[in-house]
Amino acid sequence: AWGRSGWGFGELVRGYTPSDPTRYALRGLNLSRQDDGSLLVNALLLFGLEGLDPLELERRRQEAALEAERVVAFLREKDPLLFGTARLAQVAPLLYIRESRHLKALYRLRAEEVLLGKDFPDAVALGAYPLDGQAYFPGETPYLLGTPAPYGVPFRTLVPREVANLLVVSQAAGFDSVAAFSARVVPLQMALGEAAVVAAALLRLAPQAGLERVPMGTFQELAASPNALEALRKRLLERGGRLSSREKGRAETDRPGYREAVSLLRRGLFAGPYYLKGTLGLSEPILLGDFLANLEHYYRAKGPEERLRVVLKARELYREELHKPLRRPLLNQILQALGESPLPGEGGVSRGEAAKLLSRLLP
């Protein structure tokens, strides 16, 4: 907890049974106390939505309101001291779509550029939120891919390739799906929104500002003009924006497994703990839970079901070791159960070794 906010409470929500487990799940609570004493709760996950159908989204929102009533009743019974008098006041007017489509922008921000803290000459905002994602399937382990070093978000990610007079500011901008795990958050989107407004003003006032001899007509032209981008960044800095950081990531391009790790990361299949900041951690030992999470995410989406059962059974049998380094003998037991050849060598398993192995297991 911090101030008037709190998060976690995994034990509190354990035991909740949704009305339809294929459509709903209750995750750990994110809480925020308001000035009037009410409590905002972010915890209910919805599965199987079509993010571009407004009628379906509204129907599912209304159905989710009924599920929220069940959640409140569960919390009242589970912890009467905290929630004994709680009632559902209202639900959000819109569902928060965590992931759907992304803009075909002039530039697409990649997952490794986020994690490793890449800077860009046209950066108009700075992000650093962890690369985390919620389950895509009921019962799935959440995604955690590490904590980025501060990274720049290029102005080009807001600019469509073909549509004029439009800037896109949201998690649907020009981000890879995994990059959006971090870039989606509200503080960064607020900074990008300010950058978009300033860019629009610059485009309108370009002749008077002396940016170009011939007035620029589109955001695409602005994005291609070093002078215009310099003016945009200067104005953002004058308004208190942060566009760069002294803190840098560590690329490890010379480490074995780098190429495989980047490819896996882009697919959301190279899990890493929060404490791995700005690095793939290829020389670090891989944790058992991270290794199994990568397998689980892939097999839930692609199959086969038999392999998913092996992974879930391993999580159950070795749950006390999930946050510990993966032991090579245990890894080879898992590989044998999957019908795969053992990994030769001795000692622990590095994340670089795991990347090369996972690249073979998860084509």
Side-chain angles (χ1 to χ4, degrees):
W2 182 73
R4 300 199 301 181
S5 300
W7 53 90
F9 308 100
E11 284 297 324
L12 181 62
V13 303
R14 187 166 288 119
Y16 177 73
T17 302
S19 61
D20 184 346
T22 67
R23 303 177 77 199
Y24 303 108
L26 187 63
R27 48 156 282 181
L29 307 180
N30 286 346
L31 306 175
S32 178
R33 183 165 57 85
Q34 306 301 292
D35 289 338
D36 62 1
S38 63
L39 200 64
L40 298 182
V41 181
N42 170 12
L44 186 62
L45 302 181
L46 281 67
F47 301 106
L49 280 82
E50 172 48 69
L52 297 184
D53 185 340
L55 295 179
E56 181 190 357
L57 291 176
E58 176 56 22
R59 177 178 60 82
R60 291 293 303 272
R61 187 190 74 86
Q62 294 178 16
E63 294 172 355
L66 301 177
E67 190 70 22
E69 291 278 13
R70 289 173 51 89
V71 171
V72 174
F74 169 81
L75 293 175
R76 281 199 302 263
E77 182 177 348
K78 187 72 176 288
D79 195 329
L81 183 62
L82 285 179
F83 295 99
T85 61
R87 63 178 180 83
L88 181 66
Q90 61 182 6
V91 296
L94 294 172
L95 295 178
Y96 175 49
I97 307 300
R98 186 79 175 239
E99 176 61 19
S100 182
R101 276 66 164 181
H102 290 274
L103 175 70
K104 291 183 178 179
L106 295 181
Y107 189 85
R108 192 169 181 88
L109 188 65
R110 296 284 196 175
E112 71 274 14
E113 294 170 337
V114 169
L115 180 64
L116 303 178
K118 184 170 181 178
D119 195 12
F120 293 90
D122 64 334
V124 291
L126 201 63
Y129 190 80
L131 283 161
D132 68 7
Q134 296 301 325
Y136 287 90
F137 302 95
E140 185 179 20
T141 300
Y143 289 73
L144 178 59
L145 304 170
T147 301
Y151 60 91
V153 180
F155 176 69
R156 289 164 292 161
T157 62
L158 312 181
V159 184
R161 294 180 194 170
E162 299 175 357
V163 181
N165 299 319
L166 176 68
L167 294 175
V168 175
V169 177
S170 73
Q171 62 265 44
F175 311 137
D176 271 358
S177 292
V178 173
F181 282 5
S182 170
R184 65 182 172 80
V185 295
V186 171
L188 177 55
Q189 293 300 322
M190 291 172 67
L192 291 174
E194 182 172 6
V197 170
V198 173
L202 278 176
L203 193 65
R204 182 179 179 86
L205 301 173
Q208 296 90 324
L211 298 179
E212 295 285 348
R213 181 173 297 175
V214 178
M216 291 174 292
T218 67
F219 290 118
Q220 287 84 354
E221 292 176 15
L222 191 156
S225 168
N227 288 341
L229 290 171
E230 181 182 356
L232 172 59
R233 285 166 53 88
K234 179 181 178 181
R235 280 158 174 74
L236 291 173
L237 290 170
E238 290 171 349
R239 296 168 66 92
R242 292 188 61 192
L243 306 183
S244 63
S245 172
R246 294 181 180 178
E247 186 178 349
K248 303 298 180 185
R250 183 162 51 92
E252 303 175 283
T253 54
D254 58 339
R255 291 277 184 184
Y258 175 79
R259 180 178 58 83
E260 292 85 354
V262 167
S263 177
L264 290 163
L265 181 73
R266 290 180 178 181
R267 299 161 63 200
L269 298 176
F270 199 56
Y274 283 113
Y275 61 75
L276 273 184
K277 185 170 184 178
T279 178
L280 293 162
L282 299 178
S283 61
E284 299 284 331
I286 192 165
L287 304 183
L288 171 61
D290 289 341
F291 183 79
L292 292 177
N294 297 321
L295 297 178
E296 179 192 347
H297 295 320
Y298 182 88
Y299 294 139
R300 279 192 186 273
K302 300 282 190 179
E305 183 71 24
E306 296 77 12
R307 290 199 166 203
L308 177 60
R309 284 199 292 267
V310 169
V311 173
L312 296 181
K313 189 63 176 179
R315 288 190 66 89
E316 177 187 349
L317 291 175
Y318 299 101
R319 59 182 176 272
E320 300 300 326
E321 297 187 38
L322 292 177
H323 298 291
K324 297 179 181 179
L326 173 59
R327 297 180 287 111
R328 194 173 297 260
L330 176 55
L331 168 62
N332 286 330
Q333 289 180 36
I334 295 170
L335 291 175
Q336 182 180 17
L338 293 172
E340 297 286 343
S341 302
L343 185 69
E346 298 180 355
V349 182
S350 72
R351 289 174 56 82
E353 279 186 288
K356 296 175 78 68
L357 173 61
L358 288 166
S359 184
R360 175 170 61 83
L361 294 176
L362 312 178

